[in-house]
Structures are given as C-alpha cells and as structure tokens.
Amino acid sequence: MSEVNIGRRKEKCENCTKQVSLGLYEKDEVNGEVPGSSVTAQQQILLSACLSCDGCVSEEESLKISQQNLEEVVRVLGLNKKCDVSKHKVVVVSVSPQSLPFFAVKFGLDIPEATRKLCGFLKSLGVQYVFDTTLAAGFSILESQREFVQKFRRRHHDDQVLPMFTSSCPGWIRYAERVLGSMVTPHICTARSPQQIMGCLVKDYFTKQQLSPDKLYHIVVAPCFDKKLEAVRDEFYNSLLESRDIDCVLTSGEVFHMMEQTKVSVADLDSVPLDLVLGEEGDPALARHLGRGSEGFLEHIFKYAANELFGLDVKEITYKTLRNRDFLEVCLERDGEVLLQFAAVYGFRNIQTLVHRMRNGRVPYHLVEVLSCPGGCVSGRGQAEGETGGRLDKALVQQMEEAYNSLPVKLPDTNPGLHILYQDWLEGQDSTHANTLLHTQYTQQISHVVQLLQMFWVLGHCALTMVEK
C-alpha cells in the first residue's frame, strides 16, 4: 500500500482535494459524524481513495492538466496582441449553465444580466465568441433518451444493457473505469457529456463556418475541476483536425479570480449578449433543462421512456428520498406493476452505497443518474467552496440553486436549433457522423494499485459481514 500514498494532498482533480489516510478519517458529510477506525470507515476510505492515489493521474495527464490554467489563457490572449499574426488564435469561450448561477450570486444580479456582464468581461479581454453549452446538453439528453429506450427493449436478450448509468460526470466515469471496471463500464451510457459535444460543435461545425480548427482556442467555463480531466482524455483528441475538442477548462472560481485580479467593477462592464452557434441575431433567451441543479438526465429520460415505451404522459415526477436528499428514487407504476424504476445518486458516499448493493446483486433500477458532487453540478467544488477553502459554502449553494431554478425550462425536443444541426451538421440522427461525434465508449482501466484496493475492499466487506453475524 506504500505506493498508493493515500495521505498526500492532491490538487489534480476535484476529489483529490481532501487529505485522507488509513489512519485519519474525514467527517461524514451526510450524517455529520466522524467515523471511528472501524472496518466500515476503512471500507469508505479505500473506495474513495481511487481519486487520491498516484495511480489515478498519469504524468502525461498531469502535464496536460497543468496547461489548463489562467496563465495559459493569458498567454494565448497576449499573443493575439502581438504583431506575429501567424500565432494569433480566435478565442472562443463556452460557459456551462451550471456556472451562471455562481456569477449571478457574486454579481448580485439575475442570471440573464449576470451572463451579459460575464460576456462583456470576457470580450474585454479579447475573447471573440462566448456561447453557453445548453445546445450541446440538448444533444446529450436526446441521445441518452434514445439509447435508454433501445437498451430497455433489449433487456431480455442482453443482461449487460441495464441498469444504464449516465455519463455526464467525469468524476463518476473515472471512478467507474479505474475502480469498478467491467462490473459497470458496459452499462454506462455512450452519449458524450455536454462539454465534449460542445467541443465537437465548436471545433467541427463552427470552425467550418468561420476558420480552420488550428486557428481556434476553445475554453470551457465549468463548475468542477474534474472537467479538466475529461478534456484531456485521448478519445477527445481529433486526429484528423490535429486538435483537442477543448483546449482549456477553467472553473467558475478561476474566472472570478481573474476578474478580481483585474480589479474590474461589475457596474462598469458592458452588458453584451451571448453569441449563437448558428449565427442568429439577437439576445438569446436563457433557459435550463429539467432537474434541480444539473442537466436533468433522469427526468428527461424518465418522461421520454414513459411515453415511448408505455404511452404514458408523465407531467410531474415524485421522488422518494432513501438515505438522504442525494439518494432518490422514482417509479412509474400501472395497475400495481412497476414499469420503470430510476434512481439519482449524488456524492461518493452514496455512490459507495450503490456499489455495495451492486456487488450483492441488489440494484433494481433501470437507470441511475450518477454525479460525484453532493447536490449535483451546481455544487461543484470549482465554485461552491467557501473563501477559506476546503468546505462547501452551504449558503452560496442555496443561493445558486434558487438562481438556477428561476430560469424557465426548455425541453431539448422542442429546440429548433437541434433539429437544424442534426440535418445540416450531422446528416441525420442515426448517421455515422452523429454516432461518431455524439458518442464514445468507456472501458475498464484498472491498474495493479487499484486491484490492491479492491482486494482490501473485499477483505473489509467480508470482515464486516462476519461481525454483523
């Protein structure tokens, strides 16, 4: 276990910012208790250690992630001000909808006006285009809906199709690939995350309308650090274009820090509308998808599947709280028969509970929406930590959730921009081009270090079972 170095603090990704060791147990954020040196406590640490060990982030990944910072962005913007035009880049920024509530709270404005001020700040630095990623999220939701229905119809012929796990959270994906392996990876939805679809949309579609990909530098503003890891995955490098879909990910907190460094006053910033990928004129109306603080994959898929598979029109979804507000269940019943059973599982402690049930064959769900951050994406550690660092700022999170929920809901199925892009960009919904750009594959990537962790998990679970008996 010495080569795991669990006790060392890591800054490489969102879930590596807490000190953990086999002798020091962190406070339970769900129950507010400090676990003792019991088998259960060791089991929790060993499961969550996958993102805290030297085996998680390779040297190559560390180098790529180290280039995703404010200094690199400032360097690129600085080159654009120099005379050598051969080194000039068109800088494009795509902002996650879950980042916008952070700026609204910090600016003391509603989301639409805060977005215009943010856009004004970015363009004052030399950014040419600023988009939000709602359109890309719509693609991800529509593809996930269709994939779930296809898998549900095959469930009696293939035991690897259900449950289906959502794939938009890179922290969860890394945990699944590096620790859980083949128990989970065949079940992960193949639809790309909104961030990565936005990368394709900008580098493949938008550049064809404007310029060559090598002349474009694409930045994403996201609520969590794990998105930096997602951006450097090998499959998101386009060898034909010789370009990454996302060149740099900055967290909301990093962008706000840049604003503080420049000592800019929000009141003095111009209110500039977002740009539109399709090039329409006018100020785009901001909207959100279903769900309390993420893209609402569970709700969209649930309603779509209920209608597509059973002809039922679900207006409202009623959640049943299981362990806590981050472990929820929803069922569709007809005449006492359970037709669909979904779960929302947020935070690594709840994910560990899910994993424990999976190992015991007690997961009745058809779909599980999994997010590594308690509370969902709005609570991402790239924007939800207090100014002292380390701890979640609960008051800030509550304000961000209220701001996010104030936006009107717009269903991706009714978005005309998506239908236009399916035809003009992707050559239809089921085309080879659509499958290539909107989907990916997740595979087992378990190292010998993680295999040791798994062995200790099994030993710890066996010991716990014997104690219970």
Side-chain angles (χ1 to χ4, degrees):
M1 294 295 289
S2 60
E3 61 186 305
V4 179
N5 293 326
I6 295 177
R8 290 171 52 191
R9 185 175 178 85
K10 299 293 181 183
E11 298 293 342
K12 296 175 182 175
C13 65
E14 176 170 356
N15 296 289
C16 298
T17 56
K18 296 178 182 176
Q19 278 190 324
V20 291
S21 71
L22 295 179
L24 297 172
Y25 301 101
E26 57 185 320
K27 186 174 181 179
D28 189 318
E29 294 178 10
V30 174
N31 302 314
E33 300 172 353
V34 179
S37 56
S38 62
V39 173
T40 304
Q42 286 192 3
Q43 173 183 318
Q44 290 176 338
I45 292 298
L46 287 170
L47 281 172
S48 61
C50 74
L51 293 177
S52 303
C53 71
D54 283 339
C56 175
V57 182
S58 68
E59 289 184 10
E60 183 182 1
E61 285 176 320
S62 296
L63 177 61
K64 292 174 182 176
I65 294 169
S66 69
Q67 297 168 348
Q68 299 195 32
N69 53 43
L70 291 175
E71 289 75 17
E72 182 65 13
V73 171
V74 170
R75 185 189 70 80
V76 172
L77 292 170
L79 287 174
N80 283 352
K81 296 176 182 178
K82 295 183 177 179
C83 297
D84 187 356
V85 293
S86 66
K87 295 182 179 178
H88 287 193
K89 301 269 190 180
V90 173
V91 180
V92 175
V93 173
S94 299
V95 185
S96 165
Q98 287 73 38
S99 290
L100 297 178
F102 170 80
F103 294 104
V105 173
K106 290 295 185 180
F107 296 170
L109 301 169
D110 61 19
I111 288 182
E113 182 57 21
T115 303
R116 287 189 283 269
K117 291 288 188 178
L118 174 64
C119 189
F121 169 70
L122 293 170
K123 292 202 171 183
S124 73
L125 299 176
V127 172
Q128 282 93 332
Y129 298 95
V130 181
F131 304 121
D132 84 313
T133 63
T134 303
L135 196 65
F139 274 120
S140 188
I141 290 168
L142 292 179
E143 293 297 309
S144 298
Q145 289 177 170
R146 294 172 64 247
E147 182 171 339
F148 174 77
V149 167
Q150 291 168 3
K151 287 187 171 184
F152 189 88
R153 287 173 172 156
R154 299 203 319 267
R155 69 193 186 283
H156 296 308
H157 307 288
D158 185 352
D159 60 4
Q160 291 290 301
V161 297
L162 295 179
M164 186 174 95
F165 297 102
T166 57
S167 56
S168 64
C169 175
W172 154 245
I173 292 299
R174 195 166 190 84
Y175 182 65
E177 289 184 325
R178 298 299 176 101
V179 177
L180 305 179
S182 59
M183 178 176 73
V184 165
T185 50
H187 297 271
I188 297 175
C189 178
T190 66
R192 292 194 186 199
S193 73
Q195 171 175 295
Q196 293 311 137
I197 291 178
M198 193 67 196
C200 291
L201 194 56
V202 169
K203 287 290 183 83
D204 187 76
Y205 175 79
F206 182 71
T207 54
K208 286 178 181 176
Q209 320 302 312
Q210 304 289 332
L211 69 165
S212 61
D214 63 312
K215 292 295 183 182
L216 187 144
Y217 188 78
H218 187 200
I219 303 166
V220 166
V221 179
C224 86
F225 292 101
D226 286 350
K227 288 295 183 180
K228 294 176 185 281
L229 273 170
E230 181 183 56
V232 301
R233 288 176 67 99
D234 291 338
E235 63 266 36
F236 300 141
Y237 177 81
N238 191 318
S239 56
L240 292 176
L241 300 176
E242 295 185 343
S243 172
R244 287 203 162 275
D245 297 335
I246 309 291
D247 296 296
C248 181
V249 175
L250 296 178
T251 66
S252 317
E254 286 176 307
V255 174
F256 188 70
H257 179 63
M258 182 192 294
M259 297 183 74
E260 290 181 317
Q261 284 183 321
T262 58
K263 298 186 170 135
V264 64
S265 168
V266 173
D268 293 336
L269 289 170
D270 292 332
S271 292
V272 180
L274 290 169
D275 297 292
L276 295 165
V277 175
L278 290 173
E280 310 99 313
E281 296 293 329
D283 191 353
L286 287 170
R288 66 179 177 91
H289 292 129
L290 297 171
R292 73 184 196 206
S294 303
E295 291 296 350
F297 281 85
L298 182 149
E299 294 197 20
H300 285 285
I301 296 171
F302 188 86
K303 289 184 176 184
Y304 177 82
N307 185 271
E308 191 75 12
L309 295 169
F310 306 105
L312 299 176
D313 185 14
V314 177
K315 299 293 185 186
E316 296 291 333
I317 290 181
T318 303
Y319 287 98
K320 176 184 177 182
T321 302
L322 299 183
R323 286 172 55 86
N324 47 65
R325 70 187 292 266
D326 283 330
F327 201 130
L328 307 172
E329 184 180 282
V330 58
C331 292
L332 178 69
E333 297 184 9
R334 183 171 59 187
D335 301 328
E337 179 188 2
V338 175
L339 304 177
L340 293 174
Q341 192 170 4
F342 287 15
V345 179
Y346 301 167
F348 264 88
R349 278 186 169 76
N350 286 327
I351 292 173
Q352 289 163 19
T353 298
L354 177 69
V355 171
H356 176 71
R357 293 179 182 180
M358 287 180 64
R359 292 186 189 281
N360 291 326
R362 293 188 288 110
V363 176
Y365 307 118
H366 298 112
L367 178 134
V368 185
E369 180 184 66
V370 189
L371 299 171
S372 62
C373 291
C377 296
V378 166
S379 302
R381 291 301 177 119
Q383 66 183 26
E385 284 189 353
E387 294 182 3
T388 55
R391 291 196 171 276
L392 203 68
D393 186 332
K394 294 182 179 179
L396 173 61
V397 170
Q398 183 176 352
Q399 288 177 290
M400 289 193 294
E401 288 178 348
E402 290 172 357
Y404 183 77
N405 290 328
S406 70
L407 289 173
V409 172
K410 185 175 183 179
L411 302 179
D413 313 66
T414 62
N415 190 331
L418 289 173
H419 297 293
I420 291 171
L421 286 167
Y422 264 120
Q423 298 307 316
D424 295 352
W425 174 40
L426 299 169
E427 303 165 5
Q429 272 198 331
D430 296 311
S431 69
T432 302
H433 201 43
N435 287 328
T436 300
L437 295 180
L438 302 182
H439 291 264
T440 188
Q441 294 291 329
Y442 300 101
T443 57
Q444 174 176 310
Q445 297 179 22
I446 297 180
S447 67
H448 70 284
V449 174
V450 175
Q451 287 176 335
L452 278 173
L453 289 175
Q454 288 184 322
M455 180 183 71
F456 275 92
W457 188 92
V458 172
L459 291 173
H461 175 61
C462 292
L464 180 63
T465 303
M466 293 176 65
V467 170
E468 288 175 345
K469 289 182 178 180

